[in-house]
Amino acid sequence: QKEVEQNSGPLSVPEGAIASLNCTYSDRGSQSFFWYRQYSGKSPELIMFIYSNGDKEDGRFTAQLNKASQYVSLLIRDSQPSDSATYLCAVGGSGNTGKLIFGQGTTLQVKP
Amino acid sequence: GAGVSQSPSNKVTEKGKDVELRCDPISGHTALYWYRQSLGQGLEFLIYFQGNSAPDKSGLPSDRFSAERTGGSVSTLTIQRTQQEDSAVYLCASSLTATGAANEKLFFGSGTQLSVL
């Protein structure tokens, strides 16, 4: 079992729809959870982080964390073609070791 | 510097040669990471440095890979006797500190595209 798992996609949604990206992790002691966006040929950039169970909203983005289910998700409302990218889930290990493990990423395609 | 700097941006080498990849983190960042990304894949953790602590080398794929960080700043990733499967983008990232979850936000460099012929 991979430490951090994501569906590679592609996930295709029409412009204006909600895109839902999911991630599961295996280390039950994980403390921190991040979503990075990576455009083709570019380096990843942080878009959201969440540490506590529940929802965290930032503009059109909402991160959701359920530690009991070892599940973290990212919702993108009013999806735009510029949101088309690969979204990488990253999980910090237990004990705040600092080591971040990334999933393989989900490719999102927003069609005009 | 303003961001994480990596050099070279591209490196083409012949199978069996050694290569060195350099990373210059953001000034003041104590944590430094190396990841590898093969075409169409996610980020594979290689090694992590935090301050003066012993590095976490658990992701290095073989003993041909090594890394050091001098003076708590610049890091060099060395791959000896390169193989074709080593071809990938090697990404370096730094963060302010990794002693607390709030400081694990990574800032990435532009990467080194390594091609082993």
Side-chain angles (χ1 to χ4, degrees), chain A residues 31-32 34 36 38 43-46 49 51 88 92 96-105, chain B residues 33 35 37 41-43 45 48 56 58 91 98-102 104-106 108-111:
Chain A
Q31 303 286 330
S32 53
F34 302 80
Y36 284 79
Q38 187 175 28
S43 295
E45 56 178 340
L46 179 69
F49 61 91
Y51 306 131
L88 298 160
N96 285 330
T97 63
K99 174 178 166 181
L100 282 189
I101 301 299
F102 283 77
Q104 71 268 36
Chain B
Y33 306 74
Y35 289 90
Q37 188 171 34
Q41 301 298 310
L43 274 65
F45 170 78
Y48 152 64
D56 180 340
S58 59
L91 289 164
T99 55
E104 286 174 351
K105 302 169 203 175
L106 300 187
F108 283 87
S110 299

Side-chain angles (χ1 to χ4, degrees), chain B:
Chain B
V4 178
S5 177
Q6 291 187 246
S7 61
S9 56
N10 280 282
K11 177 70 176 180
V12 180
T13 190
E14 293 179 350
K15 178 182 173 181
K17 300 283 190 183
D18 298 351
V19 295
E20 284 190 353
L21 312 180
R22 177 189 167 103
C23 174
D24 202 339
I26 293 172
S27 179
H29 280 194
T30 63
L32 186 147
Y33 306 74
W34 283 98
Y35 289 90
R36 176 169 72 174
Q37 188 171 34
S38 300
L39 189 63
Q41 301 298 310
L43 274 65
E44 175 188 5
F45 170 78
L46 297 178
I47 189 169
Y48 152 64
F49 297 88
Q50 169 55 49
N52 295 320
S53 302
D56 180 340
K57 304 179 182 180
S58 59
L60 294 178
S62 77
D63 58 8
R64 296 187 296 105
F65 288 72
S66 63
E68 63 177 20
R69 189 177 183 192
T70 54
S73 181
V74 173
S75 176
T76 302
L77 176 69
T78 301
I79 309 173
Q80 296 179 311
R81 305 181 301 283
T82 52
Q83 303 295 311
Q84 289 183 331
E85 60 263 29
D86 299 334
S87 298
V89 175
Y90 289 80
L91 289 164
C92 175
S94 70
S95 65
L96 188 60
T97 178
T99 55
N103 297 310
E104 286 174 351
K105 302 169 203 175
L106 300 187
F107 296 83
F108 283 87
S110 299
T112 293
Q113 172 71 64
L114 175 65
S115 300
V116 182
L117 303 180

Side-chain angles (χ1 to χ4, degrees), chain A residues 1 14 22 24 48 54 94:
Chain A
Q1 181 188 8
N22 305 315
T24 59
M48 288 286 290
S94 54

